[in-house]
Coordinates of all heavy atoms in Angstrom, one line a residue:
C1 N 7.4 -22.4 -6.1 CA 7.6 -21.5 -7.3 C 9.0 -21.2 -7.3 O 9.9 -21.7 -6.6 CB 6.7 -20.3 -7.1 SG 7.2 -19.2 -5.8
R2 N 9.4 -20.3 -8.3 CA 10.8 -19.9 -8.5 C 11.3 -19.2 -7.3 O 12.5 -19.3 -6.9 CB 10.8 -19.0 -9.8 CG 12.3 -18.6 -10.1 CD 12.3 -17.7 -11.3 NE 11.4 -16.5 -11.1 CZ 11.8 -15.4 -10.5 NH1 13.0 -15.3 -10.0 NH2 11.0 -14.4 -10.4
V3 N 10.5 -18.3 -6.7 CA 11.0 -17.5 -5.6 C 11.4 -18.4 -4.4 O 12.4 -18.2 -3.8 CB 9.9 -16.5 -5.1 CG1 10.3 -15.7 -3.9 CG2 9.6 -15.5 -6.3
C4 N 10.6 -19.4 -4.0 CA 10.9 -20.3 -2.9 C 11.7 -21.5 -3.3 O 11.8 -22.4 -2.5 CB 9.6 -20.6 -2.2 SG 8.5 -21.6 -3.1
K5 N 12.1 -21.6 -4.6 CA 12.8 -22.7 -5.2 C 12.0 -24.0 -5.0 O 12.6 -25.1 -4.8 CB 14.2 -22.8 -4.5 CG 15.0 -21.6 -4.8 CD 16.4 -21.7 -4.1 CE 17.2 -20.5 -4.3 NZ 18.5 -20.5 -3.6
G6 N 10.7 -23.9 -5.2 CA 9.9 -25.1 -5.1 C 9.6 -25.7 -3.8 O 8.9 -26.7 -3.7
E7 N 10.1 -25.0 -2.7 CA 9.9 -25.6 -1.4 C 8.6 -25.1 -0.7 O 8.1 -25.7 0.3 CB 11.1 -25.2 -0.5 CG 12.4 -25.9 -1.0 CD 13.5 -25.6 0.0 OE1 13.3 -24.9 1.0 OE2 14.6 -26.0 -0.3
G8 N 8.1 -24.0 -1.1 CA 6.9 -23.4 -0.5 C 7.1 -22.6 0.7 O 6.2 -22.0 1.3
W9 N 8.4 -22.6 1.2 CA 8.8 -21.8 2.4 C 10.1 -21.0 2.1 O 10.9 -21.4 1.2 CB 9.1 -22.7 3.6 CG 7.9 -23.5 4.0 CD1 7.5 -24.7 3.6 CD2 7.0 -23.1 5.0 NE1 6.4 -25.1 4.2 CE2 6.0 -24.1 5.1 CE3 6.8 -22.0 5.8 CZ2 4.9 -24.1 6.0 CZ3 5.8 -21.9 6.7 CH2 4.8 -23.0 6.8
I10 N 10.2 -19.8 2.8 CA 11.3 -19.0 2.6 C 12.0 -18.7 3.9 O 11.3 -18.3 4.9 CB 10.9 -17.6 1.9 CG1 10.4 -17.9 0.5 CG2 12.1 -16.7 1.8 CD1 9.8 -16.6 -0.1
E11 N 13.3 -19.0 4.0 CA 14.0 -18.7 5.3 C 14.1 -17.2 5.5 O 14.6 -16.5 4.5 CB 15.4 -19.3 5.3 CG 16.2 -19.1 6.5 CD 17.6 -19.6 6.4 OE1 17.8 -20.6 5.7 OE2 18.5 -19.0 6.9
V12 N 13.8 -16.7 6.6 CA 13.7 -15.2 6.9 C 14.7 -14.8 7.9 O 15.5 -13.8 7.7 CB 12.3 -14.8 7.2 CG1 12.3 -13.3 7.6 CG2 11.3 -15.0 6.1
L13 N 14.8 -15.5 9.0 CA 15.6 -15.0 10.1 C 16.0 -16.1 11.1 O 15.4 -17.2 11.1 CB 14.9 -13.8 10.9 CG 13.5 -14.1 11.4 CD1 13.5 -14.8 12.7 CD2 12.8 -12.8 11.5
G14 N 17.0 -15.7 12.0 CA 17.3 -16.6 13.1 C 16.8 -16.0 14.4 O 16.7 -14.8 14.6
C15 N 16.5 -16.9 15.4 CA 15.9 -16.4 16.6 C 16.1 -17.4 17.7 O 16.7 -18.5 17.5 CB 14.4 -16.1 16.4 SG 13.5 -17.6 15.9
G16 N 15.6 -17.1 18.9 CA 15.7 -18.0 20.0 C 15.5 -17.3 21.3 O 15.4 -16.1 21.4
L17 N 15.5 -18.1 22.4 CA 15.4 -17.5 23.7 C 16.8 -17.1 24.2 O 17.8 -17.8 23.9 CB 14.8 -18.5 24.7 CG 13.3 -18.9 24.5 CD1 12.8 -19.9 25.6 CD2 12.4 -17.7 24.4
V18 N 16.9 -16.0 24.9 CA 18.2 -15.5 25.3 C 18.9 -16.5 26.2 O 18.3 -16.9 27.2 CB 18.0 -14.1 26.0 CG1 19.4 -13.6 26.5 CG2 17.4 -13.1 25.0
D19 N 20.1 -16.9 25.9 CA 20.8 -17.8 26.8 C 21.1 -17.1 28.1 O 21.4 -16.0 28.2 CB 22.2 -18.1 26.1 CG 22.9 -19.3 26.8 OD1 23.2 -19.2 28.0 OD2 23.1 -20.3 26.0
P20 N 20.9 -17.9 29.2 CA 21.1 -17.3 30.6 C 22.5 -16.8 30.8 O 22.7 -15.9 31.6 CB 20.9 -18.5 31.5 CG 19.9 -19.4 30.7 CD 20.3 -19.3 29.3
F21 N 23.5 -17.2 30.0 CA 24.8 -16.7 30.1 C 24.8 -15.2 29.8 O 25.6 -14.4 30.5 CB 25.7 -17.4 29.0 CG 27.1 -16.9 28.9 CD1 28.1 -17.4 29.7 CD2 27.5 -15.9 28.1 CE1 29.4 -17.0 29.7 CE2 28.8 -15.4 28.0 CZ 29.7 -15.9 28.8
L22 N 24.1 -14.7 28.8 CA 24.0 -13.3 28.6 C 23.4 -12.5 29.7 O 23.8 -11.4 30.0 CB 23.2 -13.0 27.3 CG 24.0 -13.2 25.9 CD1 24.4 -14.6 25.7 CD2 23.1 -12.6 24.8
L23 N 22.3 -13.1 30.3 CA 21.6 -12.4 31.4 C 22.6 -12.3 32.6 O 22.6 -11.2 33.3 CB 20.4 -13.2 31.8 CG 19.3 -13.4 30.7 CD1 18.1 -14.2 31.2 CD2 18.8 -12.0 30.2
E24 N 23.3 -13.3 32.9 CA 24.3 -13.3 34.0 C 25.4 -12.3 33.7 O 25.9 -11.6 34.6 CB 24.9 -14.6 34.2 CG 23.8 -15.7 34.8 CD 24.4 -17.0 34.9 OE1 25.6 -17.3 34.4 OE2 23.7 -17.9 35.4
W25 N 25.8 -12.1 32.4 CA 26.9 -11.2 32.1 C 26.5 -9.8 32.4 O 27.3 -9.0 32.8 CB 27.1 -11.3 30.6 CG 28.3 -10.5 30.1 CD1 28.2 -9.1 29.8 CD2 29.6 -10.8 29.9 NE1 29.4 -8.6 29.4 CE2 30.3 -9.7 29.4 CE3 30.3 -12.0 30.0 CZ2 31.7 -9.7 29.1 CZ3 31.7 -12.1 29.6 CH2 32.3 -10.9 29.2
V26 N 25.2 -9.4 32.3 CA 24.8 -8.0 32.5 C 24.1 -7.9 33.9 O 23.4 -6.9 34.2 CB 23.8 -7.6 31.4 CG1 24.5 -7.5 30.1 CG2 22.6 -8.5 31.3
N27 N 24.3 -9.0 34.7 CA 23.8 -8.9 36.1 C 22.2 -8.9 36.2 O 21.6 -8.3 37.1 CB 24.3 -7.8 36.9 CG 25.8 -7.9 37.0 OD1 26.4 -8.9 37.3 ND2 26.5 -6.7 36.9
Y28 N 21.6 -9.6 35.2 CA 20.2 -9.9 35.3 C 20.0 -11.2 36.0 O 20.8 -12.1 35.7 CB 19.5 -9.9 33.9 CG 19.3 -8.6 33.2 CD1 19.8 -7.4 33.8 CD2 18.6 -8.5 32.0 CE1 19.6 -6.2 33.1 CE2 18.4 -7.3 31.4 CZ 18.9 -6.1 31.9 OH 18.7 -5.0 31.3
D29 N 19.0 -11.3 36.8 CA 18.7 -12.6 37.5 C 18.0 -13.6 36.5 O 16.8 -13.4 36.1 CB 17.8 -12.4 38.7 CG 17.6 -13.6 39.5 OD1 18.1 -14.7 39.1 OD2 16.8 -13.5 40.5
P30 N 18.7 -14.6 36.0 CA 18.1 -15.6 35.1 C 17.0 -16.4 35.7 O 16.2 -17.0 34.9 CB 19.3 -16.4 34.6 CG 20.2 -16.4 35.8 CD 20.1 -15.0 36.4
E31 N 16.9 -16.4 37.0 CA 15.8 -17.1 37.6 C 14.5 -16.3 37.6 O 13.4 -16.8 37.7 CB 16.1 -17.4 39.1 CG 17.3 -18.4 39.3 CD 17.0 -19.7 38.6 OE1 15.9 -20.2 38.7 OE2 18.0 -20.3 38.1
R32 N 14.6 -15.0 37.4 CA 13.5 -14.1 37.4 C 13.1 -13.6 36.0 O 11.9 -13.5 35.7 CB 13.8 -12.9 38.3 CG 12.6 -11.9 38.3 CD 13.0 -10.7 39.2 NE 11.9 -9.7 39.2 CZ 12.0 -8.5 39.8 NH1 13.1 -8.2 40.5 NH2 11.0 -7.6 39.7
Y33 N 14.2 -13.4 35.2 CA 13.9 -12.8 33.9 C 14.3 -13.8 32.8 O 15.2 -14.7 32.9 CB 14.8 -11.6 33.7 CG 14.4 -10.5 34.6 CD1 15.2 -10.1 35.7 CD2 13.2 -9.7 34.5 CE1 14.9 -9.1 36.5 CE2 12.9 -8.7 35.3 CZ 13.7 -8.4 36.4 OH 13.4 -7.4 37.2
S34 N 13.6 -13.7 31.7 CA 13.9 -14.5 30.5 C 13.6 -13.6 29.3 O 13.1 -12.5 29.4 CB 13.0 -15.7 30.4 OG 11.6 -15.4 30.4
G35 N 14.0 -14.0 28.1 CA 13.8 -13.1 27.0 C 14.0 -13.9 25.6 O 14.4 -15.1 25.6
F36 N 13.8 -13.2 24.6 CA 14.0 -13.7 23.2 C 14.8 -12.7 22.4 O 14.7 -11.5 22.7 CB 12.8 -14.2 22.6 CG 11.7 -13.2 22.3 CD1 11.9 -12.3 21.2 CD2 10.6 -13.1 23.0 CE1 10.9 -11.3 20.9 CE2 9.6 -12.1 22.8 CZ 9.8 -11.2 21.7
A37 N 15.4 -13.2 21.4 CA 16.1 -12.3 20.4 C 16.0 -12.9 19.0 O 15.7 -14.1 18.8 CB 17.6 -12.2 20.8
F38 N 16.1 -12.0 18.1 CA 16.0 -12.4 16.7 C 16.9 -11.5 15.8 O 17.2 -10.3 16.2 CB 14.5 -12.4 16.2 CG 13.9 -11.1 16.3 CD1 14.0 -10.1 15.4 CD2 13.1 -10.8 17.5 CE1 13.3 -8.9 15.5 CE2 12.4 -9.6 17.6 CZ 12.6 -8.6 16.7
G39 N 17.3 -11.9 14.7 CA 18.1 -11.1 13.8 C 17.8 -11.5 12.3 O 17.6 -12.6 12.0

């Protein structure tokens, strides 16, 4: 339709699993902890 520009899907946000680099920066153990983030 017009809202989705004929694609049927609408892009909403970006996301992913937290890069271990960030966990190491804050002294979290990346072998023990994992996470996700979105915006």
Side-chain angles (χ1 to χ4, degrees):
C1 67
R2 180 181 59 85
V3 175
C4 63
K5 298 179 181 179
E7 296 183 0
W9 296 89
I10 298 174
E11 178 186 330
V12 174
L13 54 82
C15 59
L17 296 184
V18 176
D19 193 301
F21 177 89
L22 276 67
L23 301 177
E24 293 175 352
W25 182 280
V26 296
N27 296 319
Y28 286 5
D29 183 359
E31 298 297 326
R32 180 181 177 185
Y33 296 107
S34 58
F36 63 75
F38 56 86

